[in-house]
Amino acid sequence: MVGTELFSENLVFIEQELSDRAELFKWFNNQMINQGFVNDSYYESILRREQQFPTGIQTSTVGVAIPHADPENLKKPFIAVVRPKHGIEFEPMGIAEGKIQAELIFMLGVLKNGDQVIALQKLMNLLTNDDAVKKLLQVESCEEVMEIIRINFDQGE
């Protein structure tokens, strides 16, 4: 199952003071190791995967990134939401050009490769909902972020 059960309030981080992608990945790795979600190999895996397959996306409303590591680096599945205090530069996904200033980052951790595709589709559906994205950028609490996700993540099923 790939639904809102992969999100939780302890995996929502608002206004994090992070300067760049490397700092984001180090900080996030520590958070996830402490909460028992990832193996020690997670940091190197997510760094390597992002270099090989960039995840920055420019939507109509905001720059987004959806970094993910290979399933063998995970202990249990998750989707975390990071809204940094300042945009973090990501390379664009696919053949797009230019840098993406990601203001919303969805850290994806799914255990089966098929689930990764489903999670990405649902995230893209959420990210094409301009109203939901604007709210995600404005709300000030983890509870509010979770409410927006609960209402919008499983849309289109």
Side-chain angles (χ1 to χ4, degrees), residues 94-119:
I95 59 169
E97 293 186 20
K99 308 283 187 200
I100 306 295
Q101 289 299 316
E103 294 178 54
L104 277 176
I105 302 164
F106 292 89
M107 304 294 286
L108 190 58
V110 292
L111 295 172
K112 295 184 214 147
N113 285 331
D115 286 351
Q116 191 168 324
V117 172
I118 295 166

PDB file of all heavy atoms in Angstrom, residues 94-119:
ATOM      1  N   GLY A  94      15.354  14.507 -15.363  1.00  0.00           N
ATOM      2  CA  GLY A  94      15.217  14.315 -16.802  1.00  0.00           C
ATOM      3  C   GLY A  94      16.104  15.238 -17.613  1.00  0.00           C
ATOM      4  O   GLY A  94      17.245  15.508 -17.249  1.00  0.00           O
ATOM      5  N   ILE A  95      15.542  15.768 -18.703  1.00  0.00           N
ATOM      6  CA  ILE A  95      16.340  16.575 -19.633  1.00  0.00           C
ATOM      7  C   ILE A  95      16.171  18.078 -19.433  1.00  0.00           C
ATOM      8  O   ILE A  95      16.681  18.869 -20.210  1.00  0.00           O
ATOM      9  CB  ILE A  95      16.014  16.203 -21.099  1.00  0.00           C
ATOM     10  CG1 ILE A  95      14.537  16.434 -21.378  1.00  0.00           C
ATOM     11  CG2 ILE A  95      16.442  14.777 -21.410  1.00  0.00           C
ATOM     12  CD1 ILE A  95      14.161  16.348 -22.840  1.00  0.00           C
ATOM     13  N   ALA A  96      15.434  18.465 -18.393  1.00  0.00           N
ATOM     14  CA  ALA A  96      15.239  19.895 -18.122  1.00  0.00           C
ATOM     15  C   ALA A  96      16.594  20.550 -17.848  1.00  0.00           C
ATOM     16  O   ALA A  96      17.543  19.889 -17.429  1.00  0.00           O
ATOM     17  CB  ALA A  96      14.307  20.083 -16.935  1.00  0.00           C
ATOM     18  N   GLU A  97      16.656  21.841 -18.094  1.00  0.00           N
ATOM     19  CA  GLU A  97      17.910  22.572 -17.872  1.00  0.00           C
ATOM     20  C   GLU A  97      17.751  23.580 -16.746  1.00  0.00           C
ATOM     21  O   GLU A  97      16.650  23.961 -16.394  1.00  0.00           O
ATOM     22  CB  GLU A  97      18.316  23.274 -19.162  1.00  0.00           C
ATOM     23  CG  GLU A  97      18.694  22.298 -20.258  1.00  0.00           C
ATOM     24  CD  GLU A  97      19.225  22.989 -21.490  1.00  0.00           C
ATOM     25  OE1 GLU A  97      19.654  24.155 -21.386  1.00  0.00           O
ATOM     26  OE2 GLU A  97      19.201  22.358 -22.547  1.00  0.00           O
ATOM     27  N   GLY A  98      18.877  24.045 -16.223  1.00  0.00           N
ATOM     28  CA  GLY A  98      18.866  25.033 -15.145  1.00  0.00           C
ATOM     29  C   GLY A  98      18.747  24.357 -13.803  1.00  0.00           C
ATOM     30  O   GLY A  98      18.472  23.170 -13.695  1.00  0.00           O
ATOM     31  N   LYS A  99      18.974  25.124 -12.767  1.00  0.00           N
ATOM     32  CA  LYS A  99      18.885  24.611 -11.396  1.00  0.00           C
ATOM     33  C   LYS A  99      17.479  24.838 -10.861  1.00  0.00           C
ATOM     34  O   LYS A  99      16.789  25.770 -11.260  1.00  0.00           O
ATOM     35  CB  LYS A  99      19.890  25.332 -10.493  1.00  0.00           C
ATOM     36  CG  LYS A  99      21.303  25.337 -11.003  1.00  0.00           C
ATOM     37  CD  LYS A  99      21.986  24.028 -10.780  1.00  0.00           C
ATOM     38  CE  LYS A  99      23.458  24.151 -11.149  1.00  0.00           C
ATOM     39  NZ  LYS A  99      24.069  22.882 -11.403  1.00  0.00           N
ATOM     40  N   ILE A 100      17.081  24.002  -9.929  1.00  0.00           N
ATOM     41  CA  ILE A 100      15.780  24.124  -9.272  1.00  0.00           C
ATOM     42  C   ILE A 100      16.029  24.549  -7.833  1.00  0.00           C
ATOM     43  O   ILE A 100      16.814  23.920  -7.123  1.00  0.00           O
ATOM     44  CB  ILE A 100      15.027  22.764  -9.265  1.00  0.00           C
ATOM     45  CG1 ILE A 100      14.903  22.171 -10.669  1.00  0.00           C
ATOM     46  CG2 ILE A 100      13.676  22.907  -8.571  1.00  0.00           C
ATOM     47  CD1 ILE A 100      14.074  22.935 -11.641  1.00  0.00           C
ATOM     48  N   GLN A 101      15.383  25.619  -7.398  1.00  0.00           N
ATOM     49  CA  GLN A 101      15.429  26.026  -5.989  1.00  0.00           C
ATOM     50  C   GLN A 101      14.254  25.350  -5.289  1.00  0.00           C
ATOM     51  O   GLN A 101      13.125  25.822  -5.367  1.00  0.00           O
ATOM     52  CB  GLN A 101      15.351  27.557  -5.858  1.00  0.00           C
ATOM     53  CG  GLN A 101      16.586  28.278  -6.319  1.00  0.00           C
ATOM     54  CD  GLN A 101      17.819  27.885  -5.512  1.00  0.00           C
ATOM     55  OE1 GLN A 101      17.789  27.782  -4.289  1.00  0.00           O
ATOM     56  NE2 GLN A 101      18.917  27.653  -6.205  1.00  0.00           N
ATOM     57  N   ALA A 102      14.525  24.231  -4.648  1.00  0.00           N
ATOM     58  CA  ALA A 102      13.459  23.438  -4.018  1.00  0.00           C
ATOM     59  C   ALA A 102      13.031  24.063  -2.700  1.00  0.00           C
ATOM     60  O   ALA A 102      13.827  24.194  -1.779  1.00  0.00           O
ATOM     61  CB  ALA A 102      13.918  22.007  -3.817  1.00  0.00           C
ATOM     62  N   GLU A 103      11.767  24.435  -2.648  1.00  0.00           N
ATOM     63  CA  GLU A 103      11.175  24.967  -1.421  1.00  0.00           C
ATOM     64  C   GLU A 103      10.348  23.912  -0.703  1.00  0.00           C
ATOM     65  O   GLU A 103       9.988  24.081   0.461  1.00  0.00           O
ATOM     66  CB  GLU A 103      10.308  26.174  -1.753  1.00  0.00           C
ATOM     67  CG  GLU A 103      11.104  27.350  -2.288  1.00  0.00           C
ATOM     68  CD  GLU A 103      10.204  28.506  -2.660  1.00  0.00           C
ATOM     69  OE1 GLU A 103       9.413  28.945  -1.802  1.00  0.00           O
ATOM     70  OE2 GLU A 103      10.283  28.959  -3.815  1.00  0.00           O
ATOM     71  N   LEU A 104      10.028  22.834  -1.413  1.00  0.00           N
ATOM     72  CA  LEU A 104       9.365  21.672  -0.832  1.00  0.00           C
ATOM     73  C   LEU A 104      10.168  20.446  -1.238  1.00  0.00           C
ATOM     74  O   LEU A 104      10.476  20.275  -2.418  1.00  0.00           O
ATOM     75  CB  LEU A 104       7.942  21.512  -1.371  1.00  0.00           C
ATOM     76  CG  LEU A 104       6.830  22.316  -0.754  1.00  0.00           C
ATOM     77  CD1 LEU A 104       5.525  22.066  -1.504  1.00  0.00           C
ATOM     78  CD2 LEU A 104       6.666  22.008   0.724  1.00  0.00           C
ATOM     79  N   ILE A 105      10.506  19.628  -0.260  1.00  0.00           N
ATOM     80  CA  ILE A 105      11.290  18.427  -0.534  1.00  0.00           C
ATOM     81  C   ILE A 105      10.552  17.244   0.077  1.00  0.00           C
ATOM     82  O   ILE A 105      10.237  17.253   1.269  1.00  0.00           O
ATOM     83  CB  ILE A 105      12.708  18.559   0.039  1.00  0.00           C
ATOM     84  CG1 ILE A 105      13.390  19.792  -0.574  1.00  0.00           C
ATOM     85  CG2 ILE A 105      13.517  17.291  -0.216  1.00  0.00           C
ATOM     86  CD1 ILE A 105      14.613  20.259   0.157  1.00  0.00           C
ATOM     87  N   PHE A 106      10.256  16.277  -0.760  1.00  0.00           N
ATOM     88  CA  PHE A 106       9.611  15.046  -0.303  1.00  0.00           C
ATOM     89  C   PHE A 106      10.663  13.951  -0.350  1.00  0.00           C
ATOM     90  O   PHE A 106      11.107  13.559  -1.420  1.00  0.00           O
ATOM     91  CB  PHE A 106       8.421  14.685  -1.200  1.00  0.00           C
ATOM     92  CG  PHE A 106       7.280  15.640  -1.083  1.00  0.00           C
ATOM     93  CD1 PHE A 106       7.224  16.767  -1.888  1.00  0.00           C
ATOM     94  CD2 PHE A 106       6.266  15.433  -0.158  1.00  0.00           C
ATOM     95  CE1 PHE A 106       6.182  17.674  -1.779  1.00  0.00           C
ATOM     96  CE2 PHE A 106       5.218  16.333  -0.035  1.00  0.00           C
ATOM     97  CZ  PHE A 106       5.172  17.447  -0.848  1.00  0.00           C
ATOM     98  N   MET A 107      11.097  13.502   0.817  1.00  0.00           N
ATOM     99  CA  MET A 107      12.095  12.441   0.912  1.00  0.00           C
ATOM    100  C   MET A 107      11.346  11.113   0.859  1.00  0.00           C
ATOM    101  O   MET A 107      10.547  10.808   1.745  1.00  0.00           O
ATOM    102  CB  MET A 107      12.877  12.571   2.220  1.00  0.00           C
ATOM    103  CG  MET A 107      13.540  13.925   2.421  1.00  0.00           C
ATOM    104  SD  MET A 107      14.849  14.309   1.254  1.00  0.00           S
ATOM    105  CE  MET A 107      16.152  13.259   1.850  1.00  0.00           C
ATOM    106  N   LEU A 108      11.594  10.372  -0.188  1.00  0.00           N
ATOM    107  CA  LEU A 108      10.827   9.174  -0.481  1.00  0.00           C
ATOM    108  C   LEU A 108      11.597   7.932  -0.052  1.00  0.00           C
ATOM    109  O   LEU A 108      12.736   7.740  -0.473  1.00  0.00           O
ATOM    110  CB  LEU A 108      10.567   9.154  -1.986  1.00  0.00           C
ATOM    111  CG  LEU A 108       9.612   8.156  -2.574  1.00  0.00           C
ATOM    112  CD1 LEU A 108       8.228   8.292  -1.959  1.00  0.00           C
ATOM    113  CD2 LEU A 108       9.526   8.380  -4.080  1.00  0.00           C
ATOM    114  N   GLY A 109      10.966   7.104   0.762  1.00  0.00           N
ATOM    115  CA  GLY A 109      11.576   5.840   1.188  1.00  0.00           C
ATOM    116  C   GLY A 109      10.563   4.724   1.079  1.00  0.00           C
ATOM    117  O   GLY A 109       9.797   4.509   2.011  1.00  0.00           O
ATOM    118  N   VAL A 110      10.542   4.053  -0.055  1.00  0.00           N
ATOM    119  CA  VAL A 110       9.614   2.929  -0.221  1.00  0.00           C
ATOM    120  C   VAL A 110      10.412   1.657  -0.455  1.00  0.00           C
ATOM    121  O   VAL A 110      11.508   1.692  -1.026  1.00  0.00           O
ATOM    122  CB  VAL A 110       8.581   3.173  -1.348  1.00  0.00           C
ATOM    123  CG1 VAL A 110       7.633   4.286  -0.965  1.00  0.00           C
ATOM    124  CG2 VAL A 110       9.254   3.487  -2.657  1.00  0.00           C
ATOM    125  N   LEU A 111       9.863   0.538   0.003  1.00  0.00           N
ATOM    126  CA  LEU A 111      10.616  -0.708   0.024  1.00  0.00           C
ATOM    127  C   LEU A 111      10.543  -1.510  -1.268  1.00  0.00           C
ATOM    128  O   LEU A 111      11.405  -2.337  -1.527  1.00  0.00           O
ATOM    129  CB  LEU A 111      10.157  -1.570   1.204  1.00  0.00           C
ATOM    130  CG  LEU A 111      10.453  -0.963   2.580  1.00  0.00           C
ATOM    131  CD1 LEU A 111       9.809  -1.778   3.683  1.00  0.00           C
ATOM    132  CD2 LEU A 111      11.950  -0.873   2.809  1.00  0.00           C
ATOM    133  N   LYS A 112       9.509  -1.313  -2.058  1.00  0.00           N
ATOM    134  CA  LYS A 112       9.388  -2.067  -3.308  1.00  0.00           C
ATOM    135  C   LYS A 112       9.448  -1.103  -4.475  1.00  0.00           C
ATOM    136  O   LYS A 112       8.848  -0.032  -4.429  1.00  0.00           O
ATOM    137  CB  LYS A 112       8.053  -2.818  -3.344  1.00  0.00           C
ATOM    138  CG  LYS A 112       7.921  -3.894  -2.300  1.00  0.00           C
ATOM    139  CD  LYS A 112       6.600  -4.625  -2.495  1.00  0.00           C
ATOM    140  CE  LYS A 112       6.064  -5.030  -1.135  1.00  0.00           C
ATOM    141  NZ  LYS A 112       4.650  -5.020  -1.043  1.00  0.00           N
ATOM    142  N   ASN A 113      10.141  -1.494  -5.540  1.00  0.00           N
ATOM    143  CA  ASN A 113      10.290  -0.600  -6.683  1.00  0.00           C
ATOM    144  C   ASN A 113       8.958  -0.208  -7.307  1.00  0.00           C
ATOM    145  O   ASN A 113       8.781   0.913  -7.744  1.00  0.00           O
ATOM    146  CB  ASN A 113      11.224  -1.214  -7.727  1.00  0.00           C
ATOM    147  CG  ASN A 113      12.675  -1.120  -7.283  1.00  0.00           C
ATOM    148  OD1 ASN A 113      13.042  -0.203  -6.562  1.00  0.00           O
ATOM    149  ND2 ASN A 113      13.482  -2.069  -7.696  1.00  0.00           N
ATOM    150  N   GLY A 114       7.998  -1.111  -7.362  1.00  0.00           N
ATOM    151  CA  GLY A 114       6.679  -0.773  -7.895  1.00  0.00           C
ATOM    152  C   GLY A 114       5.992   0.294  -7.063  1.00  0.00           C
ATOM    153  O   GLY A 114       5.303   1.166  -7.586  1.00  0.00           O
ATOM    154  N   ASP A 115       6.213   0.235  -5.748  1.00  0.00           N
ATOM    155  CA  ASP A 115       5.620   1.234  -4.854  1.00  0.00           C
ATOM    156  C   ASP A 115       6.215   2.615  -5.100  1.00  0.00           C
ATOM    157  O   ASP A 115       5.540   3.625  -4.932  1.00  0.00           O
ATOM    158  CB  ASP A 115       5.829   0.845  -3.391  1.00  0.00           C
ATOM    159  CG  ASP A 115       4.934  -0.310  -2.955  1.00  0.00           C
ATOM    160  OD1 ASP A 115       4.035  -0.692  -3.735  1.00  0.00           O
ATOM    161  OD2 ASP A 115       5.148  -0.831  -1.843  1.00  0.00           O
ATOM    162  N   GLN A 116       7.471   2.656  -5.508  1.00  0.00           N
ATOM    163  CA  GLN A 116       8.127   3.940  -5.772  1.00  0.00           C
ATOM    164  C   GLN A 116       7.422   4.677  -6.909  1.00  0.00           C
ATOM    165  O   GLN A 116       7.184   5.876  -6.830  1.00  0.00           O
ATOM    166  CB  GLN A 116       9.595   3.700  -6.118  1.00  0.00           C
ATOM    167  CG  GLN A 116      10.416   4.942  -6.144  1.00  0.00           C
ATOM    168  CD  GLN A 116      11.890   4.610  -6.205  1.00  0.00           C
ATOM    169  OE1 GLN A 116      12.353   3.634  -5.617  1.00  0.00           O
ATOM    170  NE2 GLN A 116      12.632   5.418  -6.894  1.00  0.00           N
ATOM    171  N   VAL A 117       7.051   3.945  -7.951  1.00  0.00           N
ATOM    172  CA  VAL A 117       6.351   4.553  -9.088  1.00  0.00           C
ATOM    173  C   VAL A 117       4.996   5.086  -8.639  1.00  0.00           C
ATOM    174  O   VAL A 117       4.613   6.209  -8.980  1.00  0.00           O
ATOM    175  CB  VAL A 117       6.193   3.523 -10.238  1.00  0.00           C
ATOM    176  CG1 VAL A 117       5.307   4.073 -11.341  1.00  0.00           C
ATOM    177  CG2 VAL A 117       7.558   3.150 -10.783  1.00  0.00           C
ATOM    178  N   ILE A 118       4.276   4.307  -7.848  1.00  0.00           N
ATOM    179  CA  ILE A 118       2.959   4.730  -7.354  1.00  0.00           C
ATOM    180  C   ILE A 118       3.102   5.973  -6.479  1.00  0.00           C
ATOM    181  O   ILE A 118       2.350   6.942  -6.614  1.00  0.00           O
ATOM    182  CB  ILE A 118       2.268   3.590  -6.568  1.00  0.00           C
ATOM    183  CG1 ILE A 118       1.959   2.422  -7.515  1.00  0.00           C
ATOM    184  CG2 ILE A 118       0.993   4.079  -5.883  1.00  0.00           C
ATOM    185  CD1 ILE A 118       1.601   1.128  -6.812  1.00  0.00           C
ATOM    186  N   ALA A 119       4.078   5.961  -5.578  1.00  0.00           N
ATOM    187  CA  ALA A 119       4.302   7.114  -4.688  1.00  0.00           C
ATOM    188  C   ALA A 119       4.640   8.358  -5.504  1.00  0.00           C
ATOM    189  O   ALA A 119       4.126   9.449  -5.228  1.00  0.00           O
ATOM    190  CB  ALA A 119       5.410   6.809  -3.684  1.00  0.00           C
TER     191      ALA A 119
END
